[in-house]
Amino acid sequence: MNCGNKSEYMLAVVTGSRAEFGLLRGVIDEILCHSVGLQLLVTGAHLSADYGATISEITDGGYEISRCFDILGDNPSENIDTAFASAITQFGNYFAEVKPDMLILLGDRYEMLAVALAATFHAIPIAHISGGDVTEGALDDAYRHCITKLSLLHFPSTEVYANRVIQLGESPDRVFAVGALGVENILKLPRMSPELLGDTIGFDILNDYLLVTYHPETISNTDVDQALNALLTALETIALPVIFTKANADAGGSRINEILQDYCNRNKTCKLYDNLGSRNYLNAMRYAAVVVGNSSSTIVESPSLVCPAVNIGDRQKGRVMAKSIICCEDDSESILSAIKTALSDEFKQSIADVVNPYQGVDVAKSIVARILEYLDSPHQKIKSFYDL
């Protein structure tokens, strides 16, 4: 892939999870399109068998990995403090050796905060994608804002989030509301027929089913077993087949996956996937009767597919949401009521004209163009606090 532009710059991109890589693919492709030097750095759940060893999605896509950083160890979901320290050490050693002109980070994971700190120690400027969000039910909320303060360029997904980044003291001339990469993926990824998708993932797509992803609420005192059992009780009452995708590598994630695997072993119309990949996942969302859970994809991507969504609990509380999303508490009665509403013809008719607030234009292209424009212009790495 080559768009004709040549550059001697080196950009580093870090990915630590399946969802994150799916979002970053467009940015990576755009970097390669510009013939800019690329360091693709892989860490986190990508390297863990407990979470599907999703590094294969990167290599199968033909991407050359520059270096891997194994930070999780043998008990990944319970050793976040150890993983955090390991990430700072390993990435710090790397940045002492390799000096990219810009480090590109996405989102709000603890490992991304560790990488941001390591880069800051070595005076490497950071471009941060998807800052300014609020997710009150997860520690990611704090990690995200910390990464914002360590970053030089900002690419939030909505004007609301851009204003929040500025409110945190970032200069408006370095904040660009570009839209969400996940929404752009929907437009770019090939549309699969239900038959092809069903054959590819081994699931009956021709009849109604639910797509469910449930992650731990890391900032609350919610009991993982209790919360997940409430969800499963509601799903048993609905009695539709379910595609489950595994929880992430937060504390409690491995326990969620254990419970889900046991549930699927006892319910043959349900299936748990380590990693569907972006193409399969978004097409599964396209044909799902309802998307259920507390994943960011429930909030960001589902409106563009006009798919009813049920957002459970407080994990995503505070995000901008389209009218196609129904929020509910994490008890079985509330979840059941929300799913029933989402399945109703009346609700589906009411969201036929839904507008996705995360829709952008040429998101990946805009991000890379802004980064190169900054590097091409006279600039300094030291930034001033912007007072409102």
Side-chain angles (χ1 to χ4, degrees), residues 235-255:
L235 295 179
E236 287 180 347
T237 303
I238 295 295
L240 284 176
V242 181
I243 292 176
F244 290 101
T245 59
K246 280 190 173 182
N248 61 21
D250 283 333
S254 59
R255 176 56 180 162

Side-chain angles (χ1 to χ4, degrees), residues 146-159:
C146 288
I147 296 170
T148 288
K149 292 309 302 174
L150 295 170
S151 299
L152 187 70
L153 299 180
H154 307 274
F155 300 97
S157 54
T158 73
E159 289 291 347

Side-chain angles (χ1 to χ4, degrees), residues 22-30 178-190 282 286 300-301 304 356 358-368:
L23 297 175
L24 284 170
R25 285 185 72 150
V27 173
I28 295 168
D29 289 342
E30 190 64 27
V178 293
L181 288 165
V183 177
E184 185 168 77
N185 281 347
I186 292 171
L187 303 176
K188 289 186 174 181
L189 286 175
L282 290 175
R286 183 188 306 279
V300 177
E301 283 94 340
S304 289
N356 192 341
Y358 295 92
Q359 179 75 52
V361 177
D362 294 329
V363 180
K365 184 175 182 179
S366 296
I367 290 171
V368 176

Side-chain angles (χ1 to χ4, degrees), residues 35-48:
S35 298
V36 176
L38 171 67
Q39 291 284 305
L40 182 55
L41 311 178
V42 177
T43 188
H46 281 308
L47 307 177
S48 172

Side-chain angles (χ1 to χ4, degrees), residues 2-145:
N2 193 332
C3 295
N5 297 329
K6 298 294 183 180
S7 173
E8 296 181 356
Y9 298 126
M10 176 66 72
L11 304 182
V13 178
V14 182
T15 175
S17 70
R18 67 189 187 219
E20 183 181 68
F21 176 70
L23 297 175
L24 284 170
R25 285 185 72 150
V27 173
I28 295 168
D29 289 342
E30 190 64 27
I31 292 172
L32 295 173
C33 180
H34 281 271
S35 298
V36 176
L38 171 67
Q39 291 284 305
L40 182 55
L41 311 178
V42 177
T43 188
H46 281 308
L47 307 177
S48 172
D50 287 348
Y51 295 94
T54 50
I55 189 174
S56 60
E57 185 177 347
I58 302 173
T59 54
D60 291 348
Y63 296 96
E64 182 178 346
I65 296 171
S66 302
R67 194 169 300 186
C68 293
F69 303 81
D70 186 5
I71 65 171
L72 291 180
D74 296 330
N75 191 15
S77 68
E78 306 304 329
N79 286 339
I80 288 176
D81 50 351
T82 304
F84 190 88
S86 178
I88 291 178
T89 300
Q90 291 188 50
F91 278 92
N93 291 337
Y94 176 81
F95 291 135
E97 171 191 348
V98 180
K99 302 286 188 180
D101 295 286
M102 186 73 71
L103 172 67
I104 301 173
L105 301 177
L106 184 147
D108 48 26
R109 298 281 305 162
Y110 69 85
E111 60 267 37
M112 293 304 112
L113 174 56
V115 177
L117 284 168
T120 300
F121 298 155
H122 292 276
I124 294 169
I126 300 168
H128 184 210
I129 302 171
S130 293
D133 298 33
V134 168
T135 51
E136 295 180 9
L139 288 169
D140 297 356
D141 198 53
Y143 304 149
R144 184 189 308 108
H145 298 325

